[in-house]
């Protein structure tokens, strides 16, 4: 729990940088999971809708301590940034300011990119050991940079796993793994799909005259979006803007963009931005109503992905033993490395290539590679540098 809180307060830079911090602190430092486990879990979460960073952290926590620790880890991860975004919504409703990027966090972008470079380098050395793996990673990188679509992630992971399974199959090998019996409790399956359906129908069931109508409809709206969004928090933004600004007009474009700029300054999940949107949607209510709107938004957008990963994890170790799935993992891992390399390229574009940005990236990379300086101190150093300069 202490390490999860540590991670929560220092994880700047979005999903691509988050996996680098997990690699350094949860794999190399604490050995909670192996590098291979981390890549496999990250690839699995990339296949599922919802917040990939949150799902990966929950998956690691589940492997370490079971369901209870996984759920506690989710709340530790989500609460700090979601609470700050709710308070920002209250501030906007009362004062309606405009917030822009601060010099205090000006250097955190290049530092986060240094984390991404470290993850790409470290995982490439381990995974890209064959010509086939290198080609898979190259294709994933180029396709991600060219198409810039959230649907690239699941499509390429499925394709990479399928092709890898064919290439690695041995015609003389008996499919022993295929005979594994995975005991699935049918009642649990029914509960799982029943919960998904009930949550999805809440918006239609509730009476519009009820005082809880808007919070419940908000929950259903965010739940629906959380169930169809692949690719993490960056993909969430255009969906949210279209629905809540242009269509439902819960807040103005300026409020939306100002809130998003503030969220970029915070560590933690990008999905916590929904806390701001939920609070703003309830601007005509009391502070308690605004808090209810924030809770509805955060839980709604996270629940589909959380339910899916917690449903799959108990069977994941057995699924990996099935021959075709086992043979597909090398391709999936190589594709995942390609995504991380592409993330470095895409994130470098808005940051730009300058002496300052390149120097910060290199210094961060060298620190991560050759020292044991804790991640929070690196982040704190970047903030202090912004204050001084």
């Amino acid at each position: 729990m202490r390490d999860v809180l540590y991670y929560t307060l220092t994880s700047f830079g979005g999903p691509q940088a988050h996996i680098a911090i997990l690699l350094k602190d949860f794999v190399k430092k604490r050995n909670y999971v192996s590098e291979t486990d981390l890549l496999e879990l990250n690839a699995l979460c990339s296949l599922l809708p919802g917040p990939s960073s949150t799902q990966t952290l929950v998956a690691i926590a589940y492997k370490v301590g079971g369901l209870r620790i996984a759920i506690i880890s989710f709340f530790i991860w989500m609460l700090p940034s979601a609470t700050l975004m709710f308070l920002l919504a209250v501030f906007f409703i009362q004062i309606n300011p405009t917030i822009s990027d601060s010099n205090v966090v000006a250097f955190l972008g290049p530092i986060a990119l240094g984390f991404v470079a470290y993850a790409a380098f470290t995982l490439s050395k381990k995974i890209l050991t064959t010509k086939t793996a290198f080609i898979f990673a190259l294709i994933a990188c180029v396709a991600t940079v060219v198409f810039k679509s959230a649907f690239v992630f699941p499509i390429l992971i499925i394709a990479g796993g399928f092709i890898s399974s064919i290439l690695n199959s041995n015609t003389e090998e008996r499919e022993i793994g295929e005979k594994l019996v995975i005991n699935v409790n049918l009642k649990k399956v029914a509960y799982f799909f029943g919960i998904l359906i009930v949550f999805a129908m809440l918006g239609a069931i509730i009476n519009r005259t009820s005082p809880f109508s808007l919070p419940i409809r908000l929950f259903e709206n965010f739940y629906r979006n959380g169930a169809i969004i692949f690719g993490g928090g960056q993909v969430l933004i255009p969906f949210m803007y279209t629905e809540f600004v242009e269509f439902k007009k819960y807040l103005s474009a300026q409020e939306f963009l100002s809130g998003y700029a503030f969220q970029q300054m915070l560590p933690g999940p990008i999905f916590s931005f929904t806390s701001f949107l939920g609070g703003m949607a309830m601007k005509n209510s009391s502070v308690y109503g605004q808090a209810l709107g924030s809770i509805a938004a955060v839980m709604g957008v996270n629940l589909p992905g959380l339910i899916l990963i917690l449903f799959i994890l108990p069977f994941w170790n057995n699924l990996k033993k099935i021959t075709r799935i086992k043979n597909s993992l090398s391709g999936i891992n190589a594709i995942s490395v390609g995504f991380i390399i592409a993330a470095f390229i895409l994130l470098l574009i808005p940051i730009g290539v300058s002496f300052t940005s390149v120097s910060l990236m290199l210094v961060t990379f060298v620190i991560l590679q050759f020292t044991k300086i804790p991640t929070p101190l690196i982040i704190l150093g970047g903030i202090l540098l912004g204050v001084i300069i």
Side-chain angles (χ1 to χ4, degrees), residues 49-51 55 74-75 192 195-196 199 202 219 222-223 226-227 271 295-310:
Q55 291 167 311
F74 165 76
F75 283 107
F192 167 73
I195 289 170
L196 285 178
F199 283 161
L202 278 178
F219 176 88
F222 283 98
Y223 185 88
F271 270 55
I295 293 170
V298 171
M299 295 307 297
V301 80
N302 280 283
L303 268 178
L306 190 65
I307 292 171
L308 280 169
I309 192 65
L310 290 176

Side-chain angles (χ1 to χ4, degrees), residues 242-259:
T242 301
E243 179 164 0
F244 297 111
V245 176
E246 294 186 344
F247 180 60
K248 295 182 177 175
K249 302 187 185 303
Y250 287 149
L251 67 166
S252 70
Q254 182 59 52
E255 289 170 336
F256 183 96
L257 294 173
S258 296

